[in-house]
Amino acid sequence: MKLQTYSDQNLVKLYLTGDESVLEELLRRHKSKIYTSIYLLVKDQYLAEDIFQDAFIKVINTLRSGRYNEEGKFLPWVMRIAHNLVIDYFRKEKRAPVITSADGSDVLNLLQIHEENAEDKLLREQTHTDLRMLIQLLPDEQKEVLIMRHYADLSFKEIADLTDVSINTALGRMRYALSNLRKMMKVKEVT
């Protein structure tokens, strides 16, 4: 019987019995979808390839350690691993998010871009550092949506699909995240 006719579940079982060749079939079957979802988040081919490889290394290690809980959901499980690696990447990078308002201006860029003197530059950098710190204080669900929307520039539909929630839930989490950030910024100004 050809490997192409096997279900993901059967391929995983074969892999767990020591048949390493089935991993190639799982990779062939799902690489495009997993890689594309990573690329849409990071928008960089080489970074997407690195994260894809890291995801499959994690998959292999989890399978080999016997920690994989087979429920016939191999692809969603791998997608979740890849998604978490992307979020981890953005957290490590701590890149300042860009949040645009209805008129297209950057809400979080409190300082105008101009020929800055050293004091302006220091103030801008401190503002971004403070903002990143405040973002880390948000509840995980709000932080996740904020990071995916503004670090990875995903649509709310893409965010909803990746986090397995409705678009309204994703929008609500974003609204709460921005509201909480505003509150924290006011408290920080007072102190």
Side-chain angles (χ1 to χ4, degrees):
M1 197 166 170
K2 288 191 169 188
L3 289 180
Q4 290 87 342
T5 61
Y6 280 57
S7 69
D8 287 351
Q9 190 173 3
N10 288 335
L11 289 174
V12 168
K13 285 178 183 172
L14 275 173
Y15 180 77
L16 293 175
T17 64
D19 187 348
E20 301 269 332
S21 67
V22 298
L23 194 59
E24 284 180 45
E25 174 59 21
L26 284 168
L27 256 169
R28 184 200 61 74
R29 196 176 281 185
H30 300 299
K31 179 178 183 186
S32 176
K33 188 168 191 164
I34 297 165
Y35 173 82
T36 301
S37 72
I38 295 168
Y39 180 78
L40 287 171
L41 290 167
V42 300
K43 295 181 175 35
D44 177 296
Q45 174 186 349
Y46 300 109
L47 178 59
E49 288 171 5
D50 286 348
I51 292 174
F52 176 82
Q53 286 178 349
D54 290 346
F56 258 88
I57 288 169
K58 207 166 199 161
V59 165
I60 291 166
N61 290 337
T62 303
L63 289 173
R64 284 184 179 160
S65 71
R67 293 189 326 256
Y68 176 62
N69 181 14
E70 175 57 64
E71 296 172 1
K73 297 180 179 178
F74 179 77
L75 180 60
W77 174 64
V78 178
M79 294 290 278
R80 172 62 68 192
I81 289 172
H83 170 256
N84 289 341
L85 288 171
V86 169
I87 297 298
D88 289 347
Y89 166 77
F90 283 118
R91 282 185 183 147
K92 284 181 199 155
E93 287 296 301
K94 293 185 178 177
R95 296 190 302 199
V98 176
I99 299 178
T100 52
S101 63
D103 68 357
S105 63
D106 181 351
V107 172
L108 299 178
N109 188 0
L110 304 175
L111 302 172
Q112 292 287 359
I113 305 275
H114 56 79
E115 294 230 358
E116 332 178 83
N117 61 34
E119 185 178 335
D120 289 341
K121 183 177 180 187
L122 191 63
L123 184 59
R124 180 179 50 81
E125 288 172 357
Q126 185 60 50
T127 301
H128 285 279
T129 300
D130 291 348
L131 181 63
R132 284 192 297 270
M133 183 191 72
L134 293 176
I135 289 170
Q136 293 305 313
L137 298 175
L138 290 171
D140 286 343
E141 291 173 340
Q142 294 173 21
K143 184 181 355 175
E144 181 179 50
V145 171
L146 183 88
I147 288 170
M148 286 193 280
R149 179 73 181 114
H150 299 293
Y151 283 69
D153 200 27
L154 288 181
S155 71
F156 284 105
K157 167 120 179 63
E158 292 168 317
I159 293 169
D161 291 345
L162 281 168
T163 57
D164 294 325
V165 298
S166 71
I167 291 177
N168 286 339
T169 300
L171 287 165
R173 288 177 180 173
M174 185 63 171
R175 188 177 69 245
Y176 285 123
L178 293 175
S179 173
N180 286 334
L181 277 177
R182 282 186 206 102
K183 289 175 191 169
M184 287 189 282
M185 289 168 93
K186 281 184 182 171
V187 168
K188 188 169 179 6
E189 285 174 18
V190 171
T191 58

